[in-house]
């Protein structure tokens, strides 16, 4: 009888074997390849890369396969792998003005230099189940029409506003950005650190925080000044060479919001900014990120503290990470016999004392 | 990927160095929570990532490791962490408290007194003893700086006003060397007296919360209380049904549909050692090893 609660080792091995069997599923159904996941579940791959903070579509696809499609579990696998990788150095800042855009839209100007490029978006699809997709192995989709790239360089909308002093300028403080994966988070956090935490943060959490600002909890009146998705070059300075060398390309989504600012007696009204950037095509996340970024800037921009959750840096940054959150949440299923036993004793003792007190009173 | 792809005890040397620096600082300021750049580990937060990182930073190839969870060597998570270090560090492992040089624990301090040279590594979920009184880290750090612990005493007083006693039964707060109030991790308060004056080095790792703290050997650790409501360690009012021990912390096990209970030592090594020495409890059978000896 007592033996039944012990014997963890054999149980763990058996559980792992069962998990592997369940992951593969029915053997009469073909096994999914990494390439299939990478190509056909690309938005899932992007989310895992963004929240895993590692640009590697193949590894992200492998993580999704291994985690049976549990994306937070996949993010966790990527994080645990990433943390073991040696750091050679830091790349130069990516130049998103030089992005090869597959999508670039502005909600603030009907047309602008470089034009509006819709790209592969769900935005104007009708959400009707397409039963043709259920009939697999049928004809490939009609080839989409193509057009030559519009221009090599795509100016930022906020840059255009900046020329007329209509938007608050961003000054490069010249500080090396902190890295919360290499040093413990310190509060209050610099904006660069907040952006890093948000870029890695759980999409659902950041989305809800952003949504809450739209519903009045720390309202910032955001317009999507610009949303762009595409490939950017990554360069790194090689000390032995003394100049920067292009080492590859990554896909990113960048969102810049234009937000209202009332101004004051001394300062005339000017728009303010929120910023979001994520690895891969991840537009919901990067829009949400820029709204939360803007809400967190209340102090710097001289706004009132309204007590809204999205204004609360400590609350947002300490709870955005889904690997931390899921770990701590799920750990309560681990054994707690010892603590529970001490609580049992305590409750019994308190009840006995209460009973004795009542009997004495009678 | 083969295990050779990882460094000894999993973490790279730079990371270990960073953790060791935090450990040295923690030892220098007993009870003070030192921030450290906790890494993602291949087990989830809440499973002991802080303890695992501290253990990884302390282990040498000559160490003998013991891992316990709820006092037992054979609970699932203890098995999993022990396997992890067997695989990544190849160190010798043991279930014997006396033979281990490093012991990683969750929720218990072994019954057998620890000796000089041993390291006890605690897994810590919430390192901040004031957290449930004040959720903000920025505030609680200030409270520690100013030694402003009034809130904690008010909480303990309110317990007494409501229940006639301090109603905290585990993770019972302590004061270290008369300075820092410290969370001893969720050990039952029965274990609190063992924190003080221990010959072993006690290290506490909180991975998700990125904090390390320590009790160097022979540190004075006092469980918070009031003169008229002194601290009292408690346990189930029984003897161990397997080994008959009367002073060890007990797990309560429900053994049939009628709700019959048996009480057994939560420290499995302690219980087995006693049985091998010939002690037999109410429901126990004489140990084979003991009979042969």
């Amino acid at each position: 009888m007592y033996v039944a609660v012990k014997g963890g080792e054999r149980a763990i091995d058996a559980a792992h074997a069962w998990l592997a069997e369940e992951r593969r599923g029915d053997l009469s159904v073909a096994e999914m390849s990494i390439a299939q996941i990478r190509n056909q579940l690309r938005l899932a791959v992007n989310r895992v890369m963004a929240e895993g903070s590692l640009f590697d579509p193949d590894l992200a696809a492998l993580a999704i396969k291994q985690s049976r499609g549990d994306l937070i579990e996949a993010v966790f696998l990527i994080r645990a792998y990433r943390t073991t990788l040696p750091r050679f150095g830091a790349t130069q800042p990516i130049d998103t003005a030089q992005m090869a855009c597959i999508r670039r839209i502005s909600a603030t100007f009907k047309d602008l230099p470089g034009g509006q490029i819709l790209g592969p978006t769900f935005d104007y699809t009708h959400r009707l189940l397409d039963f043709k997709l259920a009939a697999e192995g049928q004809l490939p989709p009609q080839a989409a029409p193509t057009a030559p790239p519009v221009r090599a360089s795509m100016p930022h909308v906020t840059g255009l506003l900046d020329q007329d002093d209509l938007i608050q300028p961003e000054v490069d403080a010249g500080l090396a950005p902190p890295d919360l994966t290499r040093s413990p988070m310190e509060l209050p956090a610099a904006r660069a650190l907040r952006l890093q935490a948000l870029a890695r943060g759980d999409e659902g959490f950041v989305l809800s925080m952003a949504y809450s600002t739209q519903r009045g909890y720390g309202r910032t009146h955001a317009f999507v000044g610009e949303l762009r998705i595409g490939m950017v070059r990554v360069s790194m300075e090689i000390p032995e060479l003394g100049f920067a060398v292009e080492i590859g390309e990554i896909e990113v989504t960048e969102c810049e919001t234009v937000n209202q600012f009332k101004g004051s007696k001394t300062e005339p009204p000017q728009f303010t900014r929120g910023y979001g950037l994520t690895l891969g095509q991840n537009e919901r996340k990067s829009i949400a990120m820029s709204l939360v970024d803007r809400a967190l800037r209340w102090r710097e921009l001289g706004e009132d503290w309204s007590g809204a959750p999205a204004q609360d840096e400590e609350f947002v940054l300490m709870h955005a990470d889904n690997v931390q959150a899921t770990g701590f949440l799920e750990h309560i299923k681990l054994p707690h016999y010892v603590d529970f036993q001490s609580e049992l004793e305590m409750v019994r003792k308190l009840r006995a004392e209460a009973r004795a007190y009542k009997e004495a009173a009678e | 990927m083969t295990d050779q792809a990882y460094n000894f005890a999993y973490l790279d040397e730079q990371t270990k160095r960073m953790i060791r620096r935090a450990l040295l600082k923690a030892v220098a300021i007993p009870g003070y929570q030192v921030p450290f750049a906790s890494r993602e580990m291949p087990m989830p937060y809440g499973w002991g990532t802080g303890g695992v990182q501290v253990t990884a930073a302390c282990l040498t190839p000559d160490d003998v490791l013991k891992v316990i969870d709820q006092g037992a060597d054979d609970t699932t998570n203890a098995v999993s962490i022990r396997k992890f270090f067997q695989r990544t560090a190849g160190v010798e492992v043991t279930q014997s408290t006396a033979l281990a040089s490093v012991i990683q624990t969750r929720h218990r301090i072994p019954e057998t007194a620890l000796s000089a040279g041993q390291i006890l590594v605690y897994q810590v979920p919430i390192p901040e003893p004031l957290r449930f009184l004040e959720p903000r880290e920025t505030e609680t750090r200030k409270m520690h700086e100013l030694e402003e612990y009034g809130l904690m005493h008010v909480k303990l007083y309110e317990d007494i006003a409501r229940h006639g006693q301090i109603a905290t039964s585990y993770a019972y707060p302590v004061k270290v060397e008369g300075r820092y109030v410290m969370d001893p991790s969720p050990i039952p308060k029965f274990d609190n007296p063992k924190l003080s004056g221990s010959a072993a080095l006690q290290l506490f790792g909180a991975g998700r919360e990125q904090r390390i703290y320590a009790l160097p050997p022979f540190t004075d650790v006092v469980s918070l209380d009031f003169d008229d409501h002194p601290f009292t360690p408690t346990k189930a009012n029984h003897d161990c049904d397997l080994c008959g021990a009367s002073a060890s912390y007990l797990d309560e096990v429900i053994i049939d549909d009628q709700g019959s209970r048996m009480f057994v030592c939560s420290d499995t090594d302690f219980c087995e050692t006693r049985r091998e020495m010939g002690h037999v409890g109410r429901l126990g059978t004489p140990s084979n090893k003991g009979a042969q000896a």
Side-chain angles (χ1 to χ4, degrees):
Chain A
M1 58 200 165
Y2 180 55
V3 181
V5 295
K6 304 289 180 181
E9 188 147 3
R10 267 176 50 227
I12 291 178
D13 289 343
H16 289 175
W18 194 355
L19 174 67
E21 218 176 87
E22 283 292 307
R23 183 193 61 67
R24 176 58 182 87
D26 186 347
L27 291 175
S28 67
V29 177
E31 185 176 350
M32 244 181 348
S33 72
I34 300 299
Q36 284 172 336
I37 298 170
R38 193 190 58 217
N39 283 285
Q40 295 171 36
L41 296 179
R42 207 160 140 192
L43 298 183
V45 167
N46 288 344
R47 181 170 176 191
V48 170
M49 291 197 301
E51 291 168 31
S53 295
L54 184 73
F55 191 90
D56 191 321
D58 285 316
L59 287 182
L62 171 62
I64 291 169
K65 179 172 176 173
Q66 185 177 335
S67 66
R68 309 174 64 197
D70 178 339
L71 295 191
I72 292 182
E73 181 68 23
V75 169
F76 180 21
L77 287 166
I78 290 297
R79 292 266 193 96
Y81 175 76
R82 174 195 195 270
T83 197
T84 65
L85 299 176
R87 302 292 169 95
F88 299 119
T91 61
Q92 296 192 325
I94 55 172
D95 182 1
T96 52
Q98 302 299 319
M99 181 188 287
C101 295
I102 59 163
R103 173 160 166 79
R104 189 272 193 131
I105 53 168
S106 169
T108 51
F109 295 99
K110 187 171 183 185
D111 200 5
L112 65 165
Q116 306 253 18
I117 303 165
L118 280 184
T121 173
F122 292 121
D123 282 357
Y124 305 102
T125 62
H126 295 142
R127 269 56 169 213
L128 303 171
L129 281 174
D130 182 358
F131 292 101
K132 289 202 295 293
L133 290 176
E136 287 155 7
Q138 297 298 305
L139 297 173
Q142 264 191 346
T146 57
V150 191
R151 50 192 290 167
S153 171
M154 197 76 93
H156 282 106
V157 167
T158 50
L160 303 173
L161 290 170
D162 203 15
Q163 284 171 7
D164 300 330
D165 288 334
L166 285 170
I167 194 161
Q168 144 263 331
E170 288 298 339
V171 187
D172 183 357
L175 301 171
D179 180 354
L180 62 82
T181 69
R182 295 286 130 168
S183 48
M185 174 122 64
E186 275 186 53
L187 297 167
R191 188 171 176 218
L193 190 68
R194 297 200 300 249
L195 288 170
Q196 184 192 15
L198 290 173
R200 289 159 59 86
D202 181 73
E203 179 174 312
F205 177 84
V206 180
L207 168 65
S208 291
M209 282 291 126
Y211 175 49
S212 73
T213 68
Q214 292 183 292
R215 291 193 63 260
Y217 291 84
R219 192 142 185 237
T220 64
H221 309 271
F223 296 99
V224 172
E226 183 169 353
L227 177 75
R228 56 171 70 189
I229 304 170
M231 303 297 282
V232 292
R233 286 191 287 268
V234 177
S235 305
M236 193 169 161
E237 181 134 4
I238 311 295
E240 291 86 344
L241 297 179
F243 54 85
V245 176
E246 187 181 323
I247 56 172
E249 283 186 318
I250 58 172
E251 186 183 50
V252 297
T253 303
E254 182 184 54
C255 176
E256 289 185 283
T257 55
V258 175
N259 304 69
Q260 272 181 19
F261 174 57
K262 287 201 184 83
S264 61
K265 277 180 185 146
T266 50
E267 295 206 40
Q270 203 178 29
F271 292 107
T272 57
R273 310 168 190 244
Y275 189 76
L277 184 92
T278 61
L279 293 176
Q281 176 173 359
N282 248 312
E283 39 185 290
R284 181 186 305 124
K285 170 71 179 285
S286 55
I287 297 169
M289 179 177 164
S290 51
L291 261 64
V292 178
D293 168 51
R294 176 60 186 79
L296 289 173
R297 301 181 70 190
W298 64 273
R299 196 193 303 268
E300 166 198 354
L301 297 171
E303 293 170 340
D304 288 335
W305 160 255
S306 70
Q311 286 185 316
D312 188 335
E313 171 182 280
E314 184 159 353
F315 181 83
V316 172
L317 298 194
M318 293 301 226
H319 303 110
D321 193 292
N322 54 21
V323 177
Q324 289 177 352
T326 199
F328 196 52
L329 179 97
E330 293 193 37
H331 107 281
I332 59 174
K333 68 194 170 188
L334 291 180
H336 284 79
Y337 333 126
V338 163
D339 305 344
F340 186 68
Q341 184 64 43
S342 63
E343 291 287 74
L344 261 180
E345 298 303 330
M346 176 66 72
V347 170
R348 280 184 183 137
K349 190 163 167 239
L350 291 174
R351 287 179 61 83
E353 277 168 16
R355 198 162 46 235
Y357 181 75
K358 203 174 156 195
E359 282 164 9
E362 284 162 3
Chain B
M1 184 176 290
T2 63
D3 295 349
Q4 281 75 44
Y6 292 101
N7 192 28
F8 173 77
Y10 183 76
L11 292 175
D12 59 282
E13 291 303 313
Q14 284 302 313
T15 297
K16 285 188 198 170
R17 188 170 162 200
M18 174 274 294
I19 295 171
R20 286 172 190 149
R21 282 180 171 170
L23 287 170
L24 288 174
K25 185 167 179 181
V27 168
I29 318 172
Y32 170 74
Q33 299 168 52
V34 183
F36 82 111
S38 175
R39 301 291 194 251
E40 273 103 356
M41 298 299 285
M43 59 276 291
Y45 290 112
W47 264 244
T49 54
V52 167
Q53 289 180 78
V54 170
T55 299
C58 289
L59 276 184
T60 67
D62 298 332
D63 272 314
V64 180
L65 177 69
K66 170 182 167 80
V67 183
I68 49 174
D69 183 350
Q70 315 295 302
D73 295 272
D74 56 358
T75 35
T76 43
N77 202 40
V79 169
S80 163
I81 291 172
R82 185 164 57 242
K83 267 191 174 172
F84 174 74
F85 282 116
Q86 278 178 297
R87 187 172 156 186
T88 58
V91 290
E92 196 185 326
V93 296
T94 182
Q95 302 204 357
S96 161
T97 301
L99 294 179
S101 57
V102 178
I103 304 172
Q104 179 167 333
T105 180
R106 178 168 171 263
H107 296 192
R108 273 312 310 274
I109 300 176
E111 304 288 353
T112 310
L114 301 176
S115 53
Q118 286 187 305
I119 299 177
L120 182 60
V121 178
Y122 295 78
Q123 303 173 197
V124 182
I126 303 273
E128 179 48 73
L130 307 170
R131 179 61 68 239
F132 300 109
L133 307 172
E134 167 53 62
R136 283 176 196 283
E137 179 67 14
T138 39
E139 287 298 318
T140 53
R141 281 191 84 79
K142 227 176 279 169
M143 290 159 76
H144 284 294
E145 277 167 28
L146 301 173
E147 220 175 326
E148 178 50 67
Y149 295 129
L151 206 54
M152 179 63 91
H153 286 106
V154 169
K155 191 259 168 197
L156 298 178
Y157 172 75
E158 283 178 348
D159 267 9
I160 292 170
R162 189 168 298 130
H163 303 296
Q165 57 189 286
I166 295 170
T168 299
S169 60
Y170 64 93
Y172 190 102
V174 295
K175 197 162 202 183
V176 180
E177 287 289 336
R179 177 57 179 87
Y180 285 101
V181 167
M182 186 191 99
D183 182 303
S185 89
I187 56 172
K189 68 175 181 175
F190 173 84
D191 281 340
N192 272 26
K194 294 187 217 131
L195 293 163
S196 189
S198 173
L201 170 62
Q202 302 176 77
L203 304 175
F204 298 79
R208 187 181 42 77
E209 297 278 339
Q210 308 190 312
R211 295 291 182 273
I212 280 173
Y213 51 104
L215 297 172
F218 305 109
T219 300
D220 188 32
V221 181
V222 178
S223 301
L224 298 182
D225 62 0
F226 297 100
D227 290 344
D228 52 346
H229 284 276
F231 171 81
T232 45
T234 53
K235 64 179 275 285
N237 191 19
H238 295 269
D239 294 343
C240 172
D241 283 327
L242 294 178
C243 79
S246 61
S248 74
Y249 193 79
L250 301 173
D251 280 345
E252 181 172 334
V253 183
I254 301 172
I255 51 178
D256 59 30
D257 292 353
Q258 280 69 52
S260 306
R261 310 284 214 269
M262 74 183 285
F263 291 86
V264 294
C265 291
S266 111
D267 184 335
T268 47
D269 171 58
F270 177 78
C271 195
E272 271 155 33
T273 308
R274 276 180 55 84
R275 292 166 67 202
E276 280 166 20
M277 283 159 56
H279 297 281
V280 183
R282 184 176 63 99
L283 299 172
T285 48
S287 160
N288 289 333
K289 286 187 199 167
Q292 285 160 5

